[in-house]
Amino acid sequence: LGVRIDPTTYSVLPIFKLIQQCGNVLDEEMARTFNMGLGFVIAVSPEVADAICDSSSEWLRVGHINSRDNNEPLVDLGYAQG
């Protein structure tokens, strides 16, 4: 199994955009190094995720668990692999 994070589901804080711009850093490297401010992530069943997200606007569904081949990354950050 693997994890796919969808970078369109959360907002990147301005400080990370500044670091990326000044350092000319690729999206994938920024996500891997800084987690882009995403913070704490939990993995739960889709039904539990629905209940959690319905309980508070502070919770976001940012990805999902998926099957993967052995040559695919364990965590797919949703950016082009370069």
Side-chain angles (χ1 to χ4, degrees):
L1 295 176
V3 176
R4 167 90 172 46
I5 304 294
D6 181 353
T8 66
T9 59
Y10 60 95
S11 298
V12 176
L13 297 173
I15 186 63
F16 296 111
K17 292 177 183 179
L18 179 64
I19 291 169
Q20 183 176 24
Q21 183 180 19
C22 290
N24 195 28
V25 182
L26 297 173
D27 288 338
E28 183 183 32
E29 183 64 26
M30 288 294 296
R32 186 173 44 245
T33 303
F34 296 106
N35 201 24
M36 300 304 278
L38 191 55
F40 187 70
V41 176
I42 61 172
V44 297
S45 70
E47 298 79 21
V48 172
D50 290 339
I52 290 171
C53 290
D54 289 345
S55 72
S56 171
S57 63
E58 293 188 22
W59 289 94
L60 301 172
R61 186 182 296 229
V62 297
H64 61 270
I65 306 295
N66 59 346
S67 60
R68 68 180 181 92
D69 294 330
N70 287 336
N71 62 339
E72 294 177 321
L74 181 60
V75 178
D76 177 353
L77 300 170
Y79 298 104
Q81 304 291 313

